[in-house]
Coordinates of all heavy atoms in Angstrom, one line a residue:
M761 N -2.0 -41.0 -17.2 CA -2.5 -40.0 -16.3 C -1.5 -39.5 -15.3 O -0.9 -40.3 -14.6 CB -3.7 -40.6 -15.6 CG -4.5 -39.6 -14.7 SD -6.0 -40.4 -14.1 CE -6.1 -39.6 -12.5
P762 N -1.3 -38.2 -15.2 CA -0.2 -37.7 -14.3 C -0.6 -38.0 -12.8 O -1.8 -38.0 -12.5 CB -0.2 -36.2 -14.5 CG -1.5 -35.8 -15.2 CD -2.0 -37.0 -15.8
A763 N 0.4 -38.1 -12.0 CA 0.2 -38.4 -10.6 C -0.4 -37.2 -9.9 O -0.1 -36.0 -10.3 CB 1.5 -38.8 -9.9
K764 N -1.3 -37.3 -9.0 CA -1.9 -36.3 -8.2 C -0.8 -35.5 -7.5 O 0.0 -36.2 -6.8 CB -2.9 -36.8 -7.3 CG -3.8 -35.8 -6.6 CD -4.8 -36.5 -5.7 CE -5.8 -35.5 -5.1 NZ -5.1 -34.6 -4.2
P765 N -0.6 -34.2 -7.6 CA 0.4 -33.5 -6.9 C 0.2 -33.6 -5.4 O -0.9 -33.6 -4.9 CB 0.3 -32.1 -7.3 CG -1.0 -31.9 -7.9 CD -1.5 -33.3 -8.4
N766 N 1.3 -33.7 -4.6 CA 1.1 -33.7 -3.2 C 1.0 -32.3 -2.6 O 1.0 -31.3 -3.4 CB 2.3 -34.5 -2.5 CG 3.6 -33.8 -2.8 OD1 3.7 -32.6 -2.9 ND2 4.7 -34.6 -3.0
A767 N 0.7 -32.2 -1.4 CA 0.4 -30.9 -0.7 C 1.5 -29.9 -1.0 O 1.2 -28.7 -1.3 CB 0.1 -31.1 0.8
S768 N 2.8 -30.3 -0.8 CA 3.8 -29.3 -1.0 C 4.0 -28.8 -2.4 O 4.3 -27.7 -2.7 CB 5.1 -29.9 -0.4 OG 5.6 -30.9 -1.2
E769 N 3.7 -29.8 -3.4 CA 3.7 -29.4 -4.8 C 2.6 -28.4 -5.1 O 2.8 -27.4 -5.8 CB 3.6 -30.6 -5.7 CG 4.9 -31.4 -5.8 CD 4.7 -32.6 -6.7 OE1 3.6 -33.2 -6.7 OE2 5.7 -33.0 -7.3
E770 N 1.4 -28.7 -4.5 CA 0.2 -27.8 -4.7 C 0.6 -26.4 -4.2 O 0.3 -25.3 -4.8 CB -1.0 -28.3 -4.0 CG -1.7 -29.4 -4.8 CD -2.9 -29.9 -4.0 OE1 -3.1 -29.6 -2.9 OE2 -3.6 -30.7 -4.7
E771 N 1.2 -26.3 -3.1 CA 1.6 -25.0 -2.4 C 2.6 -24.3 -3.3 O 2.5 -23.1 -3.6 CB 2.1 -25.3 -1.0 CG 2.3 -24.0 -0.2 CD 2.9 -24.3 1.1 OE1 2.6 -25.3 1.8 OE2 3.8 -23.5 1.6
Y772 N 3.6 -25.1 -3.8 CA 4.6 -24.5 -4.6 C 4.0 -23.9 -5.9 O 4.3 -22.8 -6.2 CB 5.7 -25.6 -5.0 CG 6.6 -25.1 -6.0 CD1 7.7 -24.3 -5.6 CD2 6.5 -25.5 -7.4 CE1 8.7 -23.9 -6.6 CE2 7.4 -25.0 -8.3 CZ 8.5 -24.3 -7.9 OH 9.4 -23.8 -8.8
F773 N 3.1 -24.7 -6.6 CA 2.5 -24.1 -7.9 C 1.6 -23.0 -7.6 O 1.6 -22.0 -8.4 CB 1.8 -25.3 -8.6 CG 2.8 -26.3 -9.2 CD1 2.8 -27.6 -8.9 CD2 3.8 -25.8 -10.1 CE1 3.7 -28.5 -9.4 CE2 4.7 -26.7 -10.7 CZ 4.6 -28.1 -10.3
A774 N 0.9 -23.0 -6.5 CA 0.0 -21.9 -6.1 C 0.8 -20.7 -5.9 O 0.5 -19.6 -6.3 CB -0.9 -22.3 -5.0
R775 N 1.9 -20.8 -5.2 CA 2.8 -19.7 -4.9 C 3.4 -19.1 -6.1 O 3.4 -17.9 -6.3 CB 3.9 -20.1 -3.9 CG 4.2 -19.1 -2.9 CD 5.2 -19.4 -1.8 NE 6.1 -20.5 -2.1 CZ 6.2 -21.7 -1.4 NH1 5.4 -21.8 -0.3 NH2 7.0 -22.6 -1.7
Q776 N 3.8 -20.0 -7.0 CA 4.3 -19.5 -8.3 C 3.3 -18.7 -9.1 O 3.6 -17.7 -9.7 CB 4.7 -20.8 -9.2 CG 5.9 -21.6 -8.7 CD 7.2 -20.9 -9.2 OE1 7.8 -20.1 -8.5 NE2 7.7 -21.3 -10.3
E777 N 2.0 -19.3 -9.1 CA 1.0 -18.6 -9.8 C 0.7 -17.2 -9.2 O 0.5 -16.2 -9.9 CB -0.3 -19.5 -9.9 CG -1.5 -18.9 -10.6 CD -1.2 -18.6 -12.1 OE1 -0.2 -19.1 -12.6 OE2 -2.1 -18.0 -12.7
A778 N 0.6 -17.2 -7.8 CA 0.4 -16.0 -7.1 C 1.5 -14.9 -7.4 O 1.2 -13.7 -7.7 CB 0.3 -16.2 -5.6
E779 N 2.7 -15.4 -7.4 CA 3.8 -14.5 -7.8 C 3.7 -13.9 -9.2 O 3.9 -12.7 -9.4 CB 5.1 -15.3 -7.6 CG 6.4 -14.4 -7.8 CD 6.5 -13.3 -6.8 OE1 5.9 -13.3 -5.7 OE2 7.3 -12.4 -7.1
R780 N 3.3 -14.8 -10.1 CA 3.2 -14.4 -11.5 C 2.1 -13.3 -11.6 O 2.2 -12.3 -12.3 CB 2.8 -15.6 -12.4 CG 2.9 -15.3 -13.9 CD 2.6 -16.6 -14.7 NE 1.1 -16.9 -14.6 CZ 0.2 -16.3 -15.4 NH1 0.5 -15.5 -16.3 NH2 -1.0 -16.7 -15.2
R781 N 1.0 -13.6 -11.0 CA -0.2 -12.6 -11.0 C 0.2 -11.3 -10.3 O -0.2 -10.2 -10.8 CB -1.4 -13.2 -10.3 CG -2.0 -14.5 -10.9 CD -2.6 -14.1 -12.3 NE -3.1 -15.3 -12.9 CZ -4.4 -15.7 -12.8 NH1 -5.3 -14.9 -12.1 NH2 -4.8 -16.8 -13.4
R782 N 1.0 -11.4 -9.2 CA 1.4 -10.1 -8.5 C 2.3 -9.3 -9.4 O 2.1 -8.1 -9.5 CB 2.2 -10.5 -7.2 CG 2.5 -9.3 -6.3 CD 3.2 -9.7 -5.0 NE 4.5 -10.3 -5.3 CZ 5.5 -9.5 -5.6 NH1 5.4 -8.2 -5.6 NH2 6.7 -10.1 -5.9
K783 N 3.2 -9.9 -10.2 CA 4.0 -9.2 -11.1 C 3.2 -8.5 -12.2 O 3.4 -7.4 -12.5 CB 5.1 -10.1 -11.7 CG 6.3 -10.3 -10.7 CD 7.3 -11.2 -11.4 CE 8.5 -11.4 -10.4 NZ 9.2 -12.6 -10.7
L784 N 2.2 -9.3 -12.7 CA 1.4 -8.7 -13.8 C 0.6 -7.5 -13.2 O 0.5 -6.5 -13.9 CB 0.4 -9.8 -14.3 CG 0.9 -10.8 -15.2 CD1 -0.1 -11.9 -15.5 CD2 1.4 -10.2 -16.5
A785 N 0.1 -7.6 -12.0 CA -0.7 -6.5 -11.4 C 0.2 -5.3 -11.2 O -0.2 -4.2 -11.4 CB -1.3 -7.0 -10.1
E786 N 1.5 -5.6 -10.7 CA 2.4 -4.5 -10.6 C 2.7 -3.8 -11.9 O 2.8 -2.5 -12.0 CB 3.7 -5.0 -9.9 CG 3.5 -5.2 -8.5 CD 4.8 -5.9 -7.8 OE1 5.8 -6.1 -8.6 OE2 4.7 -6.1 -6.6
E787 N 2.8 -4.6 -13.0 CA 3.1 -4.0 -14.3 C 1.9 -3.2 -14.8 O 2.1 -2.0 -15.3 CB 3.4 -5.1 -15.3 CG 4.8 -5.7 -15.2 CD 4.9 -7.0 -16.1 OE1 4.1 -7.2 -17.0 OE2 5.8 -7.8 -15.8
R788 N 0.7 -3.7 -14.5 CA -0.5 -2.9 -14.9 C -0.5 -1.6 -14.1 O -0.8 -0.6 -14.7 CB -1.8 -3.7 -14.6 CG -2.2 -4.6 -15.7 CD -3.7 -5.1 -15.5 NE -3.9 -5.7 -14.2 CZ -3.8 -6.9 -13.9 NH1 -3.4 -7.8 -14.9 NH2 -4.1 -7.4 -12.7
Q789 N -0.2 -1.6 -12.8 CA -0.2 -0.5 -12.0 C 0.8 0.6 -12.4 O 0.5 1.8 -12.5 CB 0.0 -0.9 -10.5 CG 0.0 0.3 -9.5 CD -1.4 0.9 -9.3 OE1 -2.4 0.3 -9.8 NE2 -1.5 1.9 -8.6
G790 N 2.0 0.1 -12.7 CA 3.0 0.9 -13.2 C 2.6 1.6 -14.5 O 2.9 2.8 -14.7
K791 N 2.0 0.9 -15.4 CA 1.6 1.4 -16.7 C 0.5 2.4 -16.5 O 0.5 3.5 -17.1 CB 1.0 0.2 -17.6 CG 0.9 0.6 -19.0 CD 0.6 -0.6 -19.9 CE 0.2 -0.2 -21.3 NZ -1.0 -0.8 -21.8
L792 N -0.4 2.2 -15.6 CA -1.5 3.1 -15.3 C -0.9 4.4 -14.7 O -1.3 5.5 -15.1 CB -2.5 2.6 -14.3 CG -3.6 1.6 -14.8 CD1 -4.4 1.0 -13.7 CD2 -4.5 2.4 -15.8
L793 N 0.1 4.3 -13.8 CA 0.7 5.5 -13.2 C 1.4 6.3 -14.3 O 1.3 7.5 -14.3 CB 1.7 5.1 -12.1 CG 1.0 4.6 -10.8 CD1 2.1 4.1 -9.9 CD2 0.2 5.7 -10.2
A794 N 2.1 5.6 -15.2 CA 2.8 6.3 -16.3 C 1.8 7.0 -17.2 O 2.1 8.2 -17.6 CB 3.7 5.3 -17.1
E795 N 0.7 6.3 -17.5 CA -0.3 7.0 -18.3 C -1.0 8.2 -17.6 O -1.2 9.2 -18.2 CB -1.4 6.0 -18.7 CG -1.0 5.0 -19.7 CD -2.0 3.8 -19.9 OE1 -3.0 3.8 -19.2 OE2 -1.7 2.9 -20.6
E796 N -1.1 8.1 -16.3 CA -1.7 9.2 -15.5 C -0.8 10.3 -15.5 O -1.1 11.5 -15.7 CB -2.0 8.7 -14.1 CG -2.8 9.7 -13.3 CD -3.2 9.2 -12.0 OE1 -3.2 8.0 -11.7 OE2 -3.5 10.1 -11.1
R797 N 0.5 10.0 -15.3 CA 1.5 11.1 -15.3 C 1.5 11.8 -16.6 O 1.6 13.0 -16.7 CB 2.9 10.5 -15.0 CG 3.3 10.4 -13.6 CD 4.8 10.2 -13.3 NE 5.3 9.1 -14.1 CZ 5.4 7.9 -13.6 NH1 4.9 7.6 -12.4 NH2 5.9 6.9 -14.3
E798 N 1.5 11.0 -17.7 CA 1.5 11.6 -19.1 C 0.2 12.5 -19.3 O 0.3 13.6 -19.9 CB 1.5 10.5 -20.1 CG 1.6 11.0 -21.6 CD 2.7 12.1 -21.8 OE1 3.8 12.0 -21.2 OE2 2.4 12.9 -22.7
R799 N -0.9 12.0 -18.8 CA -2.2 12.8 -18.9 C -2.0 14.1 -18.2 O -2.4 15.2 -18.7 CB -3.4 12.0 -18.3 CG -4.3 11.3 -19.4 CD -5.6 10.9 -18.8 NE -5.6 10.3 -17.5 CZ -5.3 9.0 -17.3 NH1 -5.1 8.2 -18.4 NH2 -5.3 8.5 -16.1
E800 N -1.5 14.0 -17.0 CA -1.4 15.2 -16.1 C -0.4 16.2 -16.8 O -0.6 17.4 -16.8 CB -0.8 14.8 -14.7 CG -1.9 14.1 -13.8 CD -3.0 15.0 -13.5 OE1 -2.8 16.2 -13.0 OE2 -4.2 14.6 -13.6
R801 N 0.7 15.6 -17.3 CA 1.7 16.5 -18.0 C 1.1 17.2 -19.2 O 1.2 18.4 -19.3 CB 2.9 15.7 -18.4 CG 4.1 16.5 -18.8 CD 5.1 15.7 -19.7 NE 4.4 15.3 -20.9 CZ 4.1 16.1 -22.0 NH1 4.4 17.4 -21.9 NH2 3.5 15.6 -23.0
A802 N 0.3 16.4 -20.0 CA -0.3 17.0 -21.2 C -1.4 18.1 -20.8 O -1.5 19.1 -21.4 CB -1.0 15.9 -22.0
L803 N -2.0 17.8 -19.6 CA -3.1 18.7 -19.2 C -2.5 20.0 -18.6 O -3.1 21.1 -18.8 CB -3.9 18.0 -18.1 CG -5.2 18.6 -17.7 CD1 -6.2 18.7 -18.8 CD2 -5.8 17.8 -16.5
H804 N -1.4 19.9 -18.0 CA -0.8 21.1 -17.3 C 0.3 21.8 -17.9 O 0.8 22.9 -17.5 CB -0.5 20.7 -15.8 CG -1.6 20.3 -15.0 ND1 -2.6 21.1 -14.6 CD2 -2.0 19.0 -14.6 CE1 -3.6 20.4 -14.0 NE2 -3.2 19.1 -13.9
S805 N 0.9 21.1 -19.0 CA 2.0 21.7 -19.6 C 1.8 23.1 -20.2 O 0.7 23.3 -20.9 CB 2.5 20.7 -20.8 OG 3.6 21.3 -21.4
M806 N 2.6 24.0 -19.9 CA 2.5 25.4 -20.3 C 1.2 26.0 -19.9 O 0.7 26.9 -20.5 CB 2.7 25.5 -21.8 CG 4.2 25.3 -22.3 SD 5.3 26.4 -21.4 CE 5.1 28.0 -22.3
K807 N 0.6 25.6 -18.7 CA -0.5 26.2 -18.2 C 0.0 26.9 -16.9 O 0.9 26.4 -16.2 CB -1.6 25.2 -17.7 CG -2.2 24.5 -18.9 CD -3.2 25.5 -19.7 CE -4.0 24.8 -20.7 NZ -3.3 24.2 -21.8
C808 N -0.5 28.1 -16.6 CA -0.1 28.9 -15.5 C -0.4 28.1 -14.2 O -1.6 27.7 -14.0 CB -0.8 30.3 -15.5 SG -0.5 31.2 -14.0
P809 N 0.6 27.9 -13.3 CA 0.4 27.2 -12.1 C -0.5 28.0 -11.1 O -1.1 27.4 -10.2 CB 1.7 27.0 -11.5 CG 2.6 28.0 -12.1 CD 2.0 28.3 -13.5
K810 N -0.7 29.3 -11.4 CA -1.6 30.1 -10.4 C -3.0 30.2 -10.9 O -3.9 29.9 -10.1 CB -1.0 31.5 -10.3 CG -1.5 32.3 -9.2 CD -0.7 33.6 -9.1 CE -1.3 34.5 -8.0 NZ -0.7 35.8 -8.0
C811 N -3.2 30.5 -12.2 CA -4.6 30.7 -12.7 C -5.0 29.6 -13.7 O -6.2 29.6 -14.1 CB -4.8 32.1 -13.2 SG -4.0 32.4 -14.8
G812 N -4.1 28.9 -14.2 CA -4.5 27.8 -15.1 C -4.6 28.2 -16.6 O -4.8 27.3 -17.5
M813 N -4.3 29.5 -16.9 CA -4.4 29.9 -18.3 C -3.1 29.5 -19.0 O -2.1 29.1 -18.5 CB -4.6 31.4 -18.4 CG -6.0 31.9 -17.8 SD -7.4 31.3 -18.8 CE -8.1 30.0 -17.8
Q814 N -3.1 29.7 -20.4 CA -2.0 29.3 -21.2 C -0.8 30.2 -20.9 O -1.0 31.4 -20.8 CB -2.4 29.4 -22.7 CG -1.4 29.0 -23.7 CD -1.1 27.5 -23.6 OE1 -2.0 26.7 -23.4 NE2 0.1 27.1 -23.8
L815 N 0.4 29.7 -20.8 CA 1.6 30.5 -20.6 C 2.2 30.7 -22.0 O 2.0 29.9 -22.9 CB 2.6 29.7 -19.8 CG 2.3 29.5 -18.3 CD1 3.3 28.6 -17.7 CD2 2.2 30.8 -17.6
E816 N 2.8 31.9 -22.1 CA 3.5 32.2 -23.4 C 5.0 32.3 -23.1 O 5.4 33.0 -22.1 CB 3.0 33.6 -23.9 CG 1.5 33.7 -24.2 CD 1.0 32.8 -25.3 OE1 1.8 32.4 -26.1 OE2 -0.2 32.4 -25.2
E817 N 5.8 31.6 -23.9 CA 7.2 31.7 -23.7 C 7.8 32.8 -24.4 O 7.6 33.0 -25.7 CB 7.8 30.3 -24.2 CG 9.3 30.2 -23.8 CD 9.9 28.9 -24.3 OE1 10.1 28.8 -25.6 OE2 10.1 28.0 -23.5
I818 N 8.5 33.7 -23.7 CA 9.1 34.9 -24.2 C 10.6 34.8 -24.0 O 11.0 34.6 -22.9 CB 8.6 36.2 -23.6 CG1 7.1 36.2 -23.5 CG2 9.2 37.4 -24.2 CD1 6.4 36.5 -24.8
A819 N 11.4 34.8 -25.1 CA 12.8 34.7 -25.1 C 13.4 36.1 -24.8 O 13.0 37.1 -25.5 CB 13.4 34.1 -26.3
F820 N 14.3 36.2 -23.9 CA 15.0 37.4 -23.6 C 16.5 37.1 -23.4 O 16.9 36.6 -22.4 CB 14.4 38.1 -22.4 CG 15.1 39.5 -22.1 CD1 14.9 40.5 -23.0 CD2 15.8 39.8 -21.0 CE1 15.5 41.8 -22.8 CE2 16.3 41.0 -20.7 CZ 16.2 42.0 -21.6
G821 N 17.3 37.3 -24.5 CA 18.6 36.7 -24.5 C 18.6 35.2 -24.4 O 17.8 34.6 -25.1
D822 N 19.3 34.7 -23.4 CA 19.3 33.2 -23.3 C 18.4 32.7 -22.1 O 18.4 31.6 -21.7 CB 20.7 32.6 -23.0 CG 21.5 33.4 -21.9 OD1 20.9 34.3 -21.3 OD2 22.7 33.1 -21.7
V823 N 17.5 33.7 -21.7 CA 16.5 33.3 -20.7 C 15.2 33.3 -21.4 O 14.8 34.2 -22.2 CB 16.5 34.3 -19.5 CG1 15.3 34.0 -18.6 CG2 17.8 34.2 -18.8
R824 N 14.5 32.2 -21.2 CA 13.1 32.1 -21.7 C 12.1 32.1 -20.5 O 12.1 31.1 -19.8 CB 12.9 30.8 -22.5 CG 13.8 30.8 -23.8 CD 13.8 29.4 -24.4 NE 14.5 29.4 -25.6 CZ 14.1 29.9 -26.8 NH1 12.9 30.3 -26.9 NH2 14.9 29.9 -27.8
V825 N 11.4 33.2 -20.4 CA 10.4 33.2 -19.3 C 9.1 32.8 -19.8 O 8.7 33.0 -21.0 CB 10.3 34.6 -18.7 CG1 11.7 35.1 -18.1 CG2 9.8 35.6 -19.7
D826 N 8.3 32.1 -18.9 CA 7.0 31.7 -19.2 C 6.1 32.8 -18.6 O 6.1 32.9 -17.4 CB 6.7 30.3 -18.7 CG 7.5 29.3 -19.3 OD1 7.9 29.4 -20.5 OD2 7.9 28.3 -18.6
K827 N 5.3 33.5 -19.4 CA 4.5 34.6 -19.0 C 3.1 34.3 -19.1 O 2.6 33.8 -20.1 CB 4.9 35.9 -19.9 CG 4.0 37.0 -19.7 CD 4.3 37.8 -18.4 CE 3.4 39.0 -18.3 NZ 3.5 39.6 -16.9
C828 N 2.3 34.6 -18.0 CA 0.9 34.5 -18.1 C 0.3 35.9 -18.3 O 0.5 36.7 -17.4 CB 0.3 33.9 -16.8 SG -1.5 33.8 -16.7
F829 N -0.4 36.1 -19.4 CA -1.0 37.4 -19.6 C -2.3 37.5 -19.0 O -3.0 38.5 -19.2 CB -1.0 37.7 -21.2 CG 0.3 37.9 -21.7 CD1 1.0 36.9 -22.5 CD2 1.0 39.1 -21.5 CE1 2.3 37.2 -23.0 CE2 2.3 39.4 -22.0 CZ 2.9 38.4 -22.8
S830 N -2.8 36.4 -18.3 CA -4.0 36.5 -17.6 C -3.9 37.1 -16.2 O -4.5 38.1 -15.8 CB -4.6 35.1 -17.5 OG -5.8 35.1 -16.8
C831 N -3.0 36.5 -15.4 CA -2.7 36.9 -14.0 C -1.4 37.7 -13.9 O -1.1 38.2 -12.8 CB -2.8 35.8 -13.0 SG -1.3 34.7 -13.1
E832 N -0.7 37.8 -15.0 CA 0.5 38.6 -15.1 C 1.7 37.9 -14.4 O 2.7 38.6 -14.1 CB 0.4 40.0 -14.6 CG -0.7 40.9 -15.4 CD -0.2 41.1 -16.8 OE1 1.0 41.2 -17.1 OE2 -1.1 41.2 -17.7
G833 N 1.6 36.6 -14.0 CA 2.7 35.9 -13.4 C 3.8 35.7 -14.4 O 3.6 35.6 -15.6
I834 N 5.0 35.5 -13.9 CA 6.2 35.2 -14.7 C 6.8 34.0 -14.1 O 7.1 34.0 -12.8 CB 7.2 36.4 -14.7 CG1 6.6 37.6 -15.4 CG2 8.5 35.9 -15.4 CD1 7.5 38.8 -15.4
W835 N 7.1 33.0 -14.9 CA 7.6 31.7 -14.4 C 8.9 31.4 -15.0 O 9.1 31.6 -16.2 CB 6.6 30.6 -14.6 CG 5.2 31.0 -14.1 CD1 4.2 31.5 -14.8 CD2 4.8 31.1 -12.7 NE1 3.1 31.8 -14.1 CE2 3.4 31.6 -12.8 CE3 5.3 30.7 -11.5 CZ2 2.7 31.7 -11.6 CZ3 4.6 30.9 -10.4 CH2 3.3 31.4 -10.4
L836 N 9.8 30.8 -14.2 CA 11.2 30.5 -14.7 C 11.3 29.0 -14.7 O 10.9 28.3 -13.8 CB 12.2 31.2 -13.9 CG 12.2 32.7 -13.8 CD1 13.2 33.2 -12.8 CD2 12.6 33.2 -15.2
D837 N 12.0 28.5 -15.7 CA 12.4 27.0 -15.6 C 13.6 26.8 -14.7 O 14.3 27.8 -14.3 CB 12.8 26.5 -17.1 CG 11.5 26.4 -17.9 OD1 10.4 26.4 -17.4 OD2 11.7 26.4 -19.1
K838 N 13.9 25.5 -14.5 CA 15.1 25.2 -13.7 C 16.3 25.8 -14.2 O 16.6 25.8 -15.5 CB 15.2 23.7 -13.7 CG 16.4 23.2 -12.9 CD 16.5 21.6 -13.0 CE 17.6 21.2 -12.2 NZ 17.8 19.7 -12.3
G839 N 17.1 26.5 -13.4 CA 18.4 27.0 -13.8 C 18.3 28.5 -14.3 O 19.4 29.2 -14.4
E840 N 17.1 29.0 -14.7 CA 17.0 30.3 -15.2 C 17.3 31.4 -14.2 O 17.8 32.4 -14.5 CB 15.7 30.5 -16.0 CG 15.6 29.7 -17.3 CD 14.3 29.8 -18.0 OE1 13.3 30.0 -17.3 OE2 14.3 29.6 -19.2
L841 N 16.8 31.1 -13.0 CA 17.0 32.1 -11.9 C 18.5 32.3 -11.7 O 19.0 33.4 -11.5 CB 16.3 31.7 -10.6 CG 16.3 32.7 -9.5 CD1 15.6 34.0 -9.9 CD2 15.7 32.1 -8.3
E842 N 19.3 31.2 -11.8 CA 20.8 31.2 -11.6 C 21.4 32.0 -12.7 O 22.3 32.8 -12.5 CB 21.4 29.9 -11.5 CG 21.1 29.1 -10.2 CD 19.6 28.7 -10.0 OE1 18.9 28.6 -11.0 OE2 19.2 28.5 -8.8
V843 N 20.8 31.8 -14.0 CA 21.4 32.6 -15.1 C 21.2 34.1 -14.9 O 22.1 34.9 -15.1 CB 20.7 32.1 -16.4 CG1 21.0 33.0 -17.6 CG2 21.1 30.6 -16.8
I844 N 19.9 34.4 -14.5 CA 19.6 35.8 -14.2 C 20.5 36.4 -13.1 O 21.0 37.5 -13.3 CB 18.1 35.9 -13.8 CG1 17.2 35.7 -15.1 CG2 17.8 37.3 -13.3 CD1 15.8 35.6 -14.7
R845 N 20.7 35.6 -12.1 CA 21.6 36.1 -11.0 C 23.0 36.4 -11.4 O 23.6 37.3 -10.9 CB 21.6 35.0 -9.9 CG 22.2 35.5 -8.6 CD 22.1 34.4 -7.5 NE 20.8 34.2 -7.0 CZ 20.3 33.0 -6.7 NH1 21.1 31.9 -6.8 NH2 19.1 32.8 -6.3
Q846 N 23.5 35.6 -12.4 CA 24.9 35.8 -12.9 C 25.0 36.9 -13.8 O 26.1 37.4 -14.1 CB 25.4 34.5 -13.6 CG 25.7 33.4 -12.6 CD 25.8 32.0 -13.3 OE1 25.7 31.9 -14.5 NE2 25.8 30.9 -12.5
K847 N 23.9 37.4 -14.3 CA 24.0 38.5 -15.3 C 24.2 39.9 -14.5 O 24.1 39.9 -13.3 CB 22.7 38.6 -16.2 CG 22.6 37.4 -17.1 CD 21.6 37.6 -18.1 CE 21.6 36.4 -19.1 NZ 22.7 36.4 -20.0
E848 N 24.4 40.9 -15.2 CA 24.6 42.2 -14.6 C 23.4 42.6 -13.8 O 22.3 42.2 -14.1 CB 25.1 43.2 -15.6 CG 24.0 43.8 -16.4 CD 23.7 43.0 -17.7 OE1 24.0 41.8 -17.7 OE2 23.1 43.6 -18.6
G849 N 23.6 43.5 -12.9 CA 22.5 43.9 -12.0 C 21.2 44.4 -12.7 O 20.1 44.2 -12.2
S850 N 21.4 45.0 -13.8 CA 20.3 45.7 -14.4 C 19.4 44.6 -15.3 O 18.4 45.0 -15.8 CB 20.8 46.8 -15.4 OG 21.5 46.2 -16.4
F851 N 19.9 43.4 -15.4 CA 19.3 42.4 -16.2 C 17.8 42.3 -15.8 O 16.9 42.2 -16.7 CB 20.0 41.1 -16.2 CG 19.3 40.1 -17.1 CD1 19.6 40.0 -18.5 CD2 18.4 39.2 -16.6 CE1 19.0 39.1 -19.3 CE2 17.8 38.2 -17.4 CZ 18.1 38.2 -18.8
M852 N 17.5 42.1 -14.5 CA 16.2 41.8 -14.1 C 15.3 43.0 -14.4 O 14.1 42.9 -14.8 CB 16.2 41.6 -12.6 CG 14.9 40.9 -12.0 SD 14.8 39.3 -12.8 CE 13.2 38.8 -12.2
G853 N 15.8 44.2 -14.2 CA 15.0 45.4 -14.6 C 14.7 45.5 -16.1 O 13.6 45.8 -16.5
R854 N 15.7 45.1 -16.9 CA 15.5 45.1 -18.3 C 14.5 44.1 -18.7 O 13.7 44.2 -19.6 CB 16.8 44.9 -19.1 CG 17.7 46.2 -19.0 CD 19.1 45.9 -19.5 NE 19.2 45.3 -20.7 CZ 19.9 44.2 -20.9 NH1 20.7 43.7 -20.0 NH2 20.0 43.6 -22.1
L855 N 14.6 42.9 -18.0 CA 13.7 41.8 -18.3 C 12.2 42.2 -18.0 O 11.3 42.1 -18.7 CB 14.0 40.6 -17.5 CG 13.0 39.4 -17.5 CD1 12.8 38.8 -18.9 CD2 13.5 38.3 -16.6
L856 N 12.1 42.9 -16.8 CA 10.7 43.3 -16.4 C 10.2 44.4 -17.3 O 9.0 44.5 -17.5 CB 10.8 43.8 -14.9 CG 11.0 42.6 -13.9 CD1 11.2 43.2 -12.5 CD2 10.0 41.6 -14.0
N857 N 11.1 45.2 -17.9 CA 10.7 46.2 -18.8 C 10.0 45.7 -20.1 O 9.2 46.4 -20.7 CB 11.9 47.1 -19.3 CG 12.3 48.2 -18.2 OD1 11.4 48.5 -17.4 ND2 13.5 48.7 -18.3
V858 N 10.4 44.4 -20.4 CA 9.8 43.8 -21.5 C 8.2 43.7 -21.4 O 7.5 43.9 -22.4 CB 10.3 42.4 -21.7 CG1 9.5 41.6 -22.8 CG2 11.8 42.4 -22.1
F859 N 7.8 43.6 -20.1 CA 6.3 43.4 -19.9 C 5.6 44.7 -19.4 O 4.5 44.6 -19.0 CB 6.1 42.3 -18.9 CG 6.7 41.0 -19.4 CD1 7.8 40.5 -18.7 CD2 6.2 40.4 -20.5 CE1 8.4 39.3 -19.2 CE2 6.8 39.2 -21.0 CZ 7.9 38.6 -20.3
R860 N 6.3 45.8 -19.5 CA 5.6 47.1 -19.0 C 4.7 47.6 -20.1 O 4.8 47.3 -21.2 CB 6.7 48.1 -18.7 CG 7.4 47.7 -17.4 CD 8.6 48.7 -17.1 NE 8.1 50.0 -16.8 CZ 8.9 51.0 -16.4 NH1 10.2 50.9 -16.5 NH2 8.4 52.2 -16.1
Ligands
LIG91 ZN1 -1.9 33.0 -14.6

């Protein structure tokens, strides 16, 4: 029969167990957050941030604008505004002509 653990051993093992449980809880929380992020991404991907309707991707040269035909909003991805800025001055006018 094993010897009865003394008080400091009991404290040590309890602390070990608490630490193990804390790590498991953190892993569960991280997994839930990742799942929630994925759900949110799937729910909002290619949806208009203004009215919530489906966005349509329209390619114009090397710029792909996301267009909402419900509220008429036009959305740009990261870097696309810089691409437009570097193009000749009439580019924005020609882009907007696509939706006239
Ligand atoms: Zn919209």
